[in-house]
Amino acid sequence: MKDIEGQIVIDMHSHNNKAASVEIQSSRPLQAAGILIGKDPHQALGMIPLMYNICGIAQARTSLLAIQHCLSIEIDPTMEIARDMLVLVENAREHLFRIFIDWPELLELNRDIHQMPSSIRLVSEFRQALFTDNKAFELDSRLKPDSVRLLELINQLERELQQKVFEISTRDWLSICDIDGLNQWMNECDGIAASAIHAISDRGWNSQGYSDCPHLPELDADDLLKRLNTSDADKFIAQPDWQGGLYETTALTRQQDHGVIPELTRGFGNALITRWVARLVELASIPQQLKQLLSQLERNHQPTIIDTGRRVGIAQTEAARGRLIHRVEIDQDRISHYQILAPTEWNFHPRGLITRSLGNISANSARQLELLARLIVNAIDPCVGYALRVH
Amino acid sequence: MCLALPARIVSMDKTSDMATVALGEVKREVSLALVEDVSVDDYVLIHVGYALNKVSEEEAEKTLALFSEAGLLDEGAVR
């Protein structure tokens, strides 16, 4: 079966079970969006979720916003709130996949995939409760929010997170604000989340994988439009930098100021323990964020039109793995240029976050070194296909 | 970002919750632990060794045609 996702190959050279150098090569198909050229916007919006099904909500949302921006179409803020809700539910699903599939395997913990919360299937139910005919990402989508049903779904997610992931309420878990509190939770609970964090801590790996790669700042839309319109835009998409700097865009980027993360950052920097807990902070916060968005859905909002006057549009979305950027040009009702800049390319830049994070790790054996490297890669980008070769 | 590949289930082992899926002539073993109500000849989206969800034959064929058009699949992969 042809590997259509392509692959990232990480070569880690080691000496005495300590990383000495790291090289990354990528064969990811970055020009697949070129298939949209020549299509009309309606066709393109139908194709995006078929092609990019794994983060299909984030992709469809970003594509629609870029096309609306390009066509100077009125953007209904209430509709955007509904789409924000879907992106959050998709992020929850992606975190749950990784927690129940990857964490037990990586850390050799008891694995029962049938414990996976049924909330992983909530995306379609939220869609149905928000939009007419399940059409959430089309130019003629119509909002029909069923607030009672939406609250039921949010409560279901919150309940399952409490029962199957955190073992205390997500509110109580998010109120943990220091390392002592985190340790107390780990010692009192034995579910998958507490066991995984415990397993990292027990191995003495909390501080492993520190890097000096800063978080990606807000990117100005006009500056991005210009950068993606240069002659070396393909190179930028393959190995992005921003004004010469290399950046990370991950769950930690989003959660750096939330919950126990500032305290962990003070103790361990952006190392392994901070990254793994950041994903839990993000997951725990999703039900509350959904409730806030639900309350905003019920208010009136004034539509806005962003008129670029340039037949070019750009949009950015925080997908589970990091910031996703789409840029589109439309000429005579047909897409004439389409670019997608994925978070993976920031994080796996040959001189970027992964290379720097793996570059200073050490362990007691070659096997442990490889496991540690996998934990770090998984913490940064949990669903990209990669091959790790330790030499 | 991740591209999702639809493949057809050609055989299932309900005791291990595993299935053999096919894309053209190539077959692969995947876990069915995350999907419900699937049977032989259904299409599922596969990602990193797991069937993620069931898709209709129409949607699968549209998706495979898109991948083929984008040059990401061999011609024979589209049934």
Side-chain angles (χ1 to χ4, degrees), chain A residues 106-125:
Chain A
L106 286 165
L107 290 163
E108 297 166 344
L109 302 170
N110 287 334
R111 176 177 180 157
D112 181 2
I113 207 157
H114 298 287
Q115 283 294 311
M116 174 89 78
S118 60
S119 301
I120 60 166
R121 299 187 184 88
L122 285 185
V123 175
S124 62
E125 297 197 40

Side-chain angles (χ1 to χ4, degrees), chain A residues 58-336:
Chain A
Q59 294 278 2
R61 197 269 179 137
T62 318
S63 181
L64 177 60
L65 261 182
I67 286 172
Q68 286 175 315
H69 186 202
C70 184
L71 297 175
S72 300
I73 290 175
E74 182 177 278
I75 293 176
D76 175 355
T78 316
M79 197 94 80
E80 287 313 297
I81 291 166
R83 291 178 179 133
D84 284 344
M85 292 178 77
L86 291 178
V87 171
L88 282 175
V89 178
E90 179 176 74
N91 285 3
R93 184 189 69 184
E94 295 305 314
H95 285 304
L96 287 170
F97 274 150
R98 293 354 315 169
I99 289 169
F100 282 85
I101 295 173
D102 297 343
W103 290 20
E105 186 175 323
L106 286 165
L107 290 163
E108 297 166 344
L109 302 170
N110 287 334
R111 176 177 180 157
D112 181 2
I113 207 157
H114 298 287
Q115 283 294 311
M116 174 89 78
S118 60
S119 301
I120 60 166
R121 299 187 184 88
L122 285 185
V123 175
S124 62
E125 297 197 40
F126 269 87
R127 264 174 103 123
Q128 282 170 18
L130 282 163
F131 288 92
T132 302
D133 299 330
N134 217 9
K135 287 163 59 174
F137 299 103
E138 299 184 27
L139 291 167
D140 58 356
S141 293
R142 279 180 293 141
L143 203 55
K144 192 191 67 177
D146 178 344
S147 297
V148 174
R149 178 66 183 141
L150 287 164
L151 189 57
E152 281 174 8
L153 293 171
I154 296 168
N155 287 336
Q156 180 186 335
L157 174 63
E158 194 167 27
R159 206 166 41 246
E160 286 202 309
L161 293 182
Q162 175 175 342
Q163 290 168 354
K164 298 196 169 184
V165 180
F166 297 98
E167 302 168 86
I168 58 176
S169 76
T170 52
R171 277 176 186 273
D172 287 344
W173 193 84
L174 285 170
S175 71
I176 296 173
C177 59
D178 57 28
I179 293 170
D180 287 344
L182 194 65
N183 285 333
Q184 187 182 343
W185 168 72
M186 281 194 296
N187 291 329
E188 289 174 358
C189 297
D190 60 1
I192 178 63
S195 300
I197 303 301
H198 218 294
I200 290 171
S201 196
D202 281 352
R203 286 174 165 90
W205 287 350
N206 286 356
S207 304
Q208 292 276 355
Y210 172 79
S211 88
D212 60 356
C213 197
H215 293 291
L216 185 64
E218 293 295 316
L219 302 180
D220 178 78
D222 285 338
D223 291 341
L224 258 179
L225 278 169
K226 282 181 204 151
R227 184 66 188 89
L228 284 163
N229 194 33
T230 53
S231 58
D232 66 346
D234 287 350
K235 187 178 164 206
F236 172 66
I237 286 171
Q239 295 184 6
D241 67 82
W242 194 247
Q243 296 164 348
L246 301 177
Y247 293 96
E248 90 160 90
T249 172
T250 63
L252 177 57
T253 306
R254 293 189 291 270
Q255 302 305 324
Q256 58 184 309
D257 299 322
H258 296 103
V260 70
I261 298 304
E263 187 68 14
L264 285 171
T265 305
R266 270 190 286 281
F268 306 106
N270 61 1
L272 189 58
I273 193 73
T274 312
R275 293 194 176 284
W276 277 59
V277 175
R279 289 165 63 186
L280 291 174
V281 170
E282 179 151 289
L283 181 59
S285 70
I286 287 175
Q288 203 50 38
Q289 288 187 68
L290 286 169
K291 282 182 184 171
Q292 284 166 2
L293 290 172
L294 179 59
S295 70
Q296 291 171 27
L297 258 188
E298 290 156 358
R299 297 182 205 143
N300 286 325
H301 302 274
Q302 288 299 314
T304 56
I305 299 176
I306 300 168
D307 188 355
T308 63
R310 285 181 290 195
R311 310 298 282 173
V312 58
I314 196 155
Q316 306 178 54
T317 299
E318 284 295 334
R321 288 194 281 167
R323 197 169 316 163
L324 172 64
I325 296 165
H326 283 214
R327 178 185 182 277
V328 60
E329 288 179 43
I330 298 175
D331 186 24
Q332 295 182 337
D333 298 327
R334 298 275 161 180
I335 289 171
S336 55

Side-chain angles (χ1 to χ4, degrees), chain A residues 1 28 35 39 59 111, chain B residues 1 26 45 50 66 69:
Chain A
M1 194 173 289
R28 282 163 46 78
I35 193 177
K39 306 292 190 296
Q59 294 278 2
R111 176 177 180 157
Chain B
M1 301 297 270
V26 186
L45 285 173
Y50 284 85
L66 280 176
E69 189 184 338

Side-chain angles (χ1 to χ4, degrees), chain A residues 1-2 4-5 28 35 39 47 50-54 59 97 101 111 113-114 116 121 321 343 383, chain B residues 1-5 17 23 26 33-34 45-47 50 52 59 63 66-67 69-73:
Chain A
M1 194 173 289
K2 190 170 175 178
I4 60 158
E5 288 181 63
R28 282 163 46 78
I35 193 177
K39 306 292 190 296
M47 291 164 70
L50 292 177
M51 290 179 69
Y52 299 95
N53 196 288
I54 306 299
Q59 294 278 2
F97 274 150
I101 295 173
R111 176 177 180 157
I113 207 157
H114 298 287
M116 174 89 78
R121 299 187 184 88
R321 288 194 281 167
C383 52
Chain B
M1 301 297 270
C2 291
L3 301 172
L5 191 63
D17 232 0
L23 182 70
V26 186
L34 302 178
L45 285 173
I46 60 168
H47 180 59
Y50 284 85
L52 292 183
E59 190 176 336
T63 308
L66 280 176
F67 285 139
E69 189 184 338
L72 297 171
L73 282 180

